[in-house]
Amino acid sequence: MSIPSPARPAGKRPAAILVGFMGAGKTTVGRILADRLDVDFIDTDVEIVRRTGRSIPDIFTEDGPDRFRLIERNVVADVLATHAGVVALGGGAVTTPAVREALAGHRVVHLRIGPEAGYARVSGTDRPLLASEDPAARYRELLAERADVYGSVATIEIDAHGDPEVVTDALVDALAKELIPERTR
Ligand code: S3P
């Protein structure tokens, strides 16, 4: 299945870019989707670690969140310009205005997750933004703060609560529907 991106000339454009809060399943669903489309998968968090040779918690702790967002923004810009497969963005990437601008015209999928299900998936992991006395409360607060921003960049909304294979089925259906107007143009 080949998926050209909307409103973009042919070339190296991601087939789909997954956004959503921590625990939405961007990496898991992204891998499955890339597999089904027979394209490569890139997770920008993994790319940040590869390029800097440092872990994300180390960058946050040693350099601070602003520096992390700057590195992230540059990595996202490079990946969007050069990668033709599926891309997963770190959950906070869309809080950077330049990232939101860079997403314009791309096929952007919001994997929507609620506070209980999402927190259950990330509880006990080393997400630096959840390093708090009450990580569950911090998760809920951040999710509420960002609730609108994911929708503002998305061209497709997918409920991400189910099994990742089933979530990917819904995503593949939505991608196919989104392509129908292009085919009839
Ligand atoms: C972050 C989400 C993380 C990672 C970093 C910051 C965020 O990615 O980029 O810890 O601000 O929501 P995941 O969404 O893959 O957990």
Side-chain angles (χ1 to χ4, degrees):
M1 185 173 179
S2 158
I3 297 189
S5 283
R8 289 276 181 182
K12 289 237 166 187
R13 294 285 169 193
I17 302 161
L18 307 191
V19 302
F21 198 52
M22 292 178 267
K26 302 177 293 291
T27 305
T28 309
V29 170
R31 275 187 209 292
I32 300 171
L33 179 67
D35 216 44
R36 295 209 198 161
L37 300 179
D38 199 20
V39 295
D40 290 335
F41 171 69
I42 287 193
D43 180 321
T44 56
D45 281 345
V46 172
E47 192 58 16
I48 290 168
V49 172
R50 193 184 70 77
R51 289 191 192 191
T52 61
R54 302 161 70 198
S55 73
I56 288 173
D58 281 356
I59 301 172
F60 265 90
T61 314
E62 290 161 16
D63 298 358
D66 290 353
R67 174 79 190 147
F68 175 79
R69 295 296 173 208
L70 187 64
I71 297 169
E72 180 178 58
R73 160 189 159 170
N74 291 332
V75 167
V76 170
D78 280 0
V79 169
L80 295 192
T82 57
H83 187 68
V86 175
V87 178
L89 301 193
V94 297
T95 62
T96 303
V99 170
R100 295 199 294 276
E101 281 160 31
L103 290 173
H106 283 286
R107 179 174 296 109
V108 182
V109 178
H110 175 205
L111 295 183
R112 205 180 328 101
I113 196 74
E116 282 80 26
Y119 184 69
R121 290 178 183 172
V122 300
S123 169
T125 63
D126 60 353
R127 260 72 167 191
L129 290 182
L130 301 181
S132 129
E133 289 210 343
D134 188 347
R138 184 78 193 115
Y139 184 95
R140 277 195 306 275
E141 267 167 31
L142 267 178
L143 177 58
E145 269 171 33
R146 292 186 188 162
D148 293 339
V149 80
Y150 298 114
S152 77
V153 295
T155 57
I156 295 176
E157 294 272 351
I158 297 288
D159 182 329
H161 287 83
D163 174 87
E165 292 282 350
V166 177
V167 172
T168 310
D169 290 342
L171 175 50
V172 168
D173 280 357
L175 287 170
K177 281 190 192 120
E178 204 192 41
L179 286 174
I180 290 169
E182 280 183 30
R183 286 200 207 109
T184 53
R185 246 180 237 150

